[in-house]
Amino acid sequence: MHFLRRSLTGLILMSLTLGMLAYAAHLLSASVQARMERSPGPGAREEREFAVKVVQATPQTIAPTLTAYGEVQSRRALELRAKAAGTVIELAEAFEEGGQVAAGQVLVRIDPADARTLRDRAESDLMDARAEAREAGRALELAEDELAAARDQAALQERALERQRGLEERGVGTSAAVETAELAAAAARGSVLTRRQAVLGAEARIDQAETATARAELALAEAERRLEDTTLTAAFSGALSEIMVDEGALVSNGEQLATLIDQNALEVAFRVSTGQFARLLDEEGRLREAPVTAVLEASGARLTAPGIVTRASAAVGEGQTGRLVFARLEAAQGLKPGDFVTVEVAEPPLANVVRLPAGALGPDGAVLALGEDGRLQPIAVTLLRRQGDHVLVRAAEGAPDLAGRRVVTQRSPLLGAGIKVRPLGEAAEAESPESAETVELSEERRARLIAFVEGSRDMPDAVRTRLLDQLAQARVPVSVVARLETRMGG
């Protein structure tokens, strides 16, 4: 009996154990089956969406800006050089680096003693030449008077000869008297020739005196110029630079003393490529007078000066490329010759172009636009200009129109044709406004959504802040809740 009781007890315990094991196996199988029913299979996984920023492509007319770099220089810069050798005895108060001088102002005086001596000597020579000219004139007058007297004497002798010949013909006179009269007439004629030679000599002396006077006047004028060259004046108003002399210095003829720069006649020289230069030409191939702006930025300061394109270099320098263009600056306050500035040149307006961020253009020359199903579609475009962080493009020939399309602003290797994306940005909000319908959330549901938003790493900070503000409200838009729960998989 005792053995049978123990056997029945063991059988009952074993039956209970087997039953509990079978029940546990059933529960485990049911749990696994339920989990498998809730989890989608490999072929039923949801497609991943990428959040992208988009902008609305709006065709418009834009005037591009050509950006180049150039150097400010003065259109009038004069090297001040000494015209005479000597010691500097006087300098203007403004004769220093950056000194402002006016046109005609005396800048430098060189010791004029030697030049003044030469001028005085030239004046003395001129006085001698003029005295000689006066004496020659008086000598000519006397020679002419003597010539007149000799001619009168010769005339008397001729009449006496005729009278003696008449007496001889009437038999009153003698041959000896006629011969004596002939000799006297011949002597009178010789005296006339002598006096004529004296007159010619006096006239030649006057010519020589006039030549000597003219030569003395030239020497005096040269001496006066040399005396004036000892004083150096400013040819125009401007500022002095590169001062190389001080009072008391000994300078030589032609030595550079300073440089005078006209600060009101500034221009900027900048080099552009051949393609950029071609855009500055008009229909007739002439350089347009395009407006420019010279910008100098340093330590937070920004100096600007408007201007206009005036000319281009006549030839390409050796070892250079492109074209050197010059622009005249107006009201260039604060700019100095030698400043390295940024030059912004206004180009002719371009019609029907789209302005996009530079990151929207891919290396294949296309942009990614959103289709109606939320998938990306590449659109080939023609790059017209690069404007800093933006590009100006136009749809390529045969490509779909960009007008009104939402374009991805930043390309990445994960994005491509056919990829499904979720747009972010102003264009997405404008095209897909959130529904006005709201719902009141439970605390548990609200906490779960907030935790998801705060833990999302690929969500932009601006979007995260906006969603948290919406979730903090008493009633939350239904579209926001549905979008978040869809991303959570709940």
Side-chain angles (χ1 to χ4, degrees), residues 144-460:
E144 289 177 346
D145 292 342
E146 290 177 352
L147 176 61
R151 285 175 176 174
D152 293 341
Q153 192 73 18
L156 290 175
Q157 296 296 333
E158 290 291 338
R159 287 195 296 271
L161 176 61
E162 293 295 330
R163 186 168 55 252
Q164 290 296 329
R165 285 175 179 174
L167 291 176
E168 183 184 9
E169 290 177 354
R170 290 194 300 270
V172 178
T174 61
S175 298
V178 173
E179 290 179 356
T180 301
E182 288 179 349
L183 290 175
R189 288 195 296 269
S191 178
V192 171
L193 291 177
T194 302
R195 298 306 176 190
R196 288 182 62 187
Q197 290 179 353
V199 170
L200 293 177
E203 291 178 349
R205 183 180 176 185
I206 288 178
D207 293 338
Q208 292 176 355
E210 291 179 350
T211 302
T213 301
R215 189 179 294 111
E217 290 176 349
L218 292 176
L220 178 59
E222 182 179 0
E224 289 178 346
R225 286 196 303 270
R226 290 184 179 276
L227 181 59
E228 293 177 355
D229 289 344
T230 59
T231 301
L232 184 63
T233 59
F236 51 84
S237 300
L240 295 176
S241 177
E242 301 178 6
I243 304 299
M244 300 181 181
V245 69
D246 201 353
E247 189 172 351
L250 181 63
V251 297
S252 60
N253 189 10
E255 181 178 349
Q256 183 176 352
L257 308 180
T259 301
L260 179 61
I261 299 175
D262 188 353
Q263 294 183 320
N264 295 324
L266 296 182
E267 65 179 6
V268 58
F270 57 97
R271 187 170 295 276
V272 297
S273 65
T274 305
Q276 293 173 333
F277 181 77
R279 299 201 294 265
L280 298 179
L281 303 178
D282 57 14
E283 292 77 5
E284 299 179 358
R286 295 177 300 184
L287 187 64
R288 295 186 302 104
E289 294 183 351
V292 304
T293 302
V295 181
L296 175 62
E297 295 184 356
S299 302
R302 179 181 175 89
L303 301 177
T304 61
I308 188 171
V309 174
T310 55
R311 68 190 189 281
S313 59
V316 179
E318 184 177 357
Q320 302 289 339
T321 59
R323 300 292 185 269
L324 186 63
V325 183
F326 299 87
R328 184 177 64 250
L329 298 180
E330 304 292 343
Q333 300 295 333
L335 295 182
K336 301 290 183 180
D339 283 338
F340 191 71
V341 297
T342 302
V343 183
E344 299 175 351
V345 185
E347 297 185 24
L350 299 176
N352 194 27
V353 297
V354 177
R355 182 185 181 94
L356 296 174
L361 182 63
D364 56 351
V367 297
L368 296 178
L370 269 68
E372 296 181 356
D373 56 352
R375 298 184 182 276
L376 295 179
Q377 174 189 3
I379 298 179
V381 296
T382 301
L383 176 62
L384 302 178
R385 299 287 190 278
R386 290 190 179 273
Q387 300 289 284
D389 296 334
H390 294 79
V391 292
L392 302 182
V393 298
R394 186 182 294 159
E397 184 177 357
D401 192 8
L402 276 176
R405 301 292 296 272
R406 291 179 295 171
V407 180
V408 177
T409 61
Q410 188 66 40
R411 298 282 296 268
S412 73
L414 299 178
L415 302 179
I419 299 297
K420 190 173 183 181
V421 296
R422 183 178 65 262
L424 301 174
E426 297 179 358
E429 295 178 1
E431 186 167 330
S432 301
E434 295 178 353
S435 173
E437 184 178 357
T438 59
V439 64
E440 186 174 355
L441 300 178
S442 62
E443 294 301 327
E444 180 182 356
R445 190 179 184 186
R446 188 189 305 274
R448 187 161 54 91
L449 294 175
I450 291 177
F452 173 76
V453 171
E454 291 177 346
S456 180
R457 297 182 178 180
D458 59 347
M459 185 179 298

Side-chain angles (χ1 to χ4, degrees), residues 64-137:
T65 300
L66 188 154
T67 302
Y69 301 94
E71 183 180 2
V72 177
Q73 59 188 25
S74 177
R75 289 185 286 117
R76 288 204 302 175
L78 178 63
E79 291 184 353
L80 302 179
R81 295 183 178 273
K83 297 181 180 180
T87 304
V88 178
I89 61 174
E90 181 183 348
L91 290 177
E93 293 184 1
F95 198 85
E96 56 187 0
E97 186 70 29
Q100 300 291 328
V101 297
Q105 179 179 349
V106 176
L107 302 179
V108 180
R109 290 187 187 275
I110 299 175
D111 188 2
D114 295 339
R116 188 177 291 114
T117 301
L118 293 176
R119 193 273 310 274
D120 296 341
R121 185 179 296 119
E123 286 181 348
S124 300
D125 294 342
L126 179 60
M127 293 173 63
D128 292 342
R130 287 175 177 174
E132 176 65 21
R134 289 192 300 270
E135 183 179 353

Side-chain angles (χ1 to χ4, degrees), residues 46-51 374 419-423 458 483 486-487:
E46 294 183 0
E47 182 178 3
R48 183 178 179 183
E49 291 184 358
F50 295 92
I419 299 297
K420 190 173 183 181
V421 296
R422 183 178 65 262
D458 59 347
R483 186 166 66 250
T486 300
R487 295 181 61 183

